[in-house]
Amino acid sequence: MNARILVAEDDEKQSRLVRIYLEREGNAVQVVADGRAALEKARATRPDLLVLDVMLPYVDGLDVCRILRAEGSDVPILLLTARSTEEDLLLGLDLGADDYLTKPYSPRELAARVRALLRRSRAAARASAVPELLRAGRGGELELDTARFEVRVDGRPVPLTAKEFAILEALAREPGRVFTRAQIIERVFGLDRDVLERTVDAHVMNLRRKLEAAAPGRPRLLETVYGRGYRVADGPEERRASAGDRAGEEA
């Protein structure tokens, strides 16, 4: 796919195998062996995708992910982790990772995940080339500029990861409509792999915190409808209310 991929993996045998599989598909691959080098390379070269091992020397992979997102980087990040508990995996997503693989993994599956992330990233880039401003919220206070990849609430910018932006855009295109987790997975993650519904929940909770931080004291823009899914608020509360529709606090 002729992408520039940065691989951060301290296991030499593993990194060599990853490089071989990714280069077979025409990608230009750089490999580093610690978190400090991963940060430096990501900042200097701005790769199309980062394959990031969690257990790295000096700076671990989760901190690398957190720092890059705090600096505004939207590079797609695929985490490699030996930690298989749900809490560990959700922490990685909460810090801004786009996908993860648990060790041991198949190099062919890793290559397939990389292809999927690159396709979605490039599709989002093409879509953003067409200027479009989406408005939602009870008074239109939520704005999404798809060309600039920007989100504002009451005029204040809200920095989002690529996945968070994609989820919010899918909901904001039809404000007031309730999307199930399965529908969000289909629209945002695609049909080429299995995604846990809790993965959607982790992204939504992170997204909700960012939106609320930008507009303290405002009623929720991103709502949970118990037993159904999520929606972006649309119009005054009295107009939106309907029998059997109960907006929850959290999933």
Side-chain angles (χ1 to χ4, degrees):
M1 299 181 74
N2 299 316
R4 295 173 298 111
I5 299 176
L6 176 61
V7 176
E9 169 64 78
D10 63 330
D11 185 310
E12 185 177 350
K13 180 180 178 181
Q14 198 74 25
S15 64
R16 189 185 311 116
L17 190 62
V18 170
R19 180 197 285 272
I20 289 171
Y21 271 81
L22 295 181
E23 286 184 342
R24 281 179 181 173
E25 302 198 357
N27 301 302
V29 180
Q30 287 186 306
V31 176
V32 295
D34 65 75
R36 191 179 302 157
L39 282 171
E40 292 172 356
K41 279 291 185 183
R43 290 163 174 159
T45 65
R46 299 178 63 86
D48 298 312
L49 187 138
L50 173 57
V51 178
L52 181 63
D53 186 31
V54 169
M55 302 300 291
L56 290 172
Y58 305 122
V59 182
D60 72 29
L62 294 178
D63 279 337
V64 171
C65 185
R66 177 182 56 79
I67 292 168
L68 288 175
R69 293 306 187 223
E71 293 175 349
S73 172
D74 60 359
V75 59
I77 296 176
L78 172 62
L79 283 182
L80 305 177
T81 176
R83 303 170 178 175
S84 58
T85 68
E86 184 177 79
E87 290 75 16
D88 288 327
L89 298 177
L90 294 180
L91 174 60
L93 294 173
D94 196 44
L95 291 173
D98 295 280
D99 198 0
Y100 57 81
L101 268 177
T102 55
K103 296 181 177 181
Y105 57 83
S106 160
R108 291 179 62 190
E109 182 181 4
L110 182 142
R113 298 284 186 98
V114 165
R115 287 195 301 272
L117 281 175
L118 289 172
R119 281 198 300 269
R120 287 193 290 273
S121 176
R122 289 168 176 176
R126 287 194 298 270
S128 68
V130 181
E132 185 175 15
L133 185 66
L134 302 176
R135 293 184 183 273
R138 294 183 175 88
E141 64 273 22
L142 175 64
E143 295 182 355
L144 283 81
D145 189 328
T146 62
R148 296 178 179 270
F149 195 74
E150 292 177 349
V151 173
R152 292 178 291 275
V153 177
D154 286 336
R156 290 185 288 272
V158 183
L160 301 181
T161 68
K163 198 65 66 195
E164 291 163 357
F165 188 94
I167 291 173
L168 186 60
E169 181 182 352
L171 300 179
R173 286 190 178 279
E174 298 183 67
R177 173 183 169 180
V178 179
F179 286 82
T180 67
R181 292 169 178 82
Q183 289 170 330
I184 293 173
I185 289 171
E186 179 179 347
R187 292 193 177 208
V188 175
F189 296 86
L191 297 174
D192 53 343
R193 65 178 183 85
D194 293 328
V195 177
L196 296 174
E197 290 192 348
R198 291 300 299 176
T199 300
V200 175
D201 294 338
H203 283 304
V204 168
M205 285 188 287
N206 203 34
L207 177 57
R208 178 179 285 148
R209 281 197 296 270
K210 293 181 179 182
L211 294 176
E212 291 177 353
R218 268 219 185 252
R220 276 198 167 157
L221 291 171
L222 184 54
E223 301 177 337
T224 301
V225 179
Y226 280 124
R228 296 175 63 184
Y230 298 106
R231 69 180 171 195
V232 165
D234 178 36
E237 184 68 29
E238 59 270 18
R239 180 166 68 81
R240 293 185 306 101
S242 61
D245 239 16
R246 293 170 43 234
E249 289 301 309
E250 293 287 354

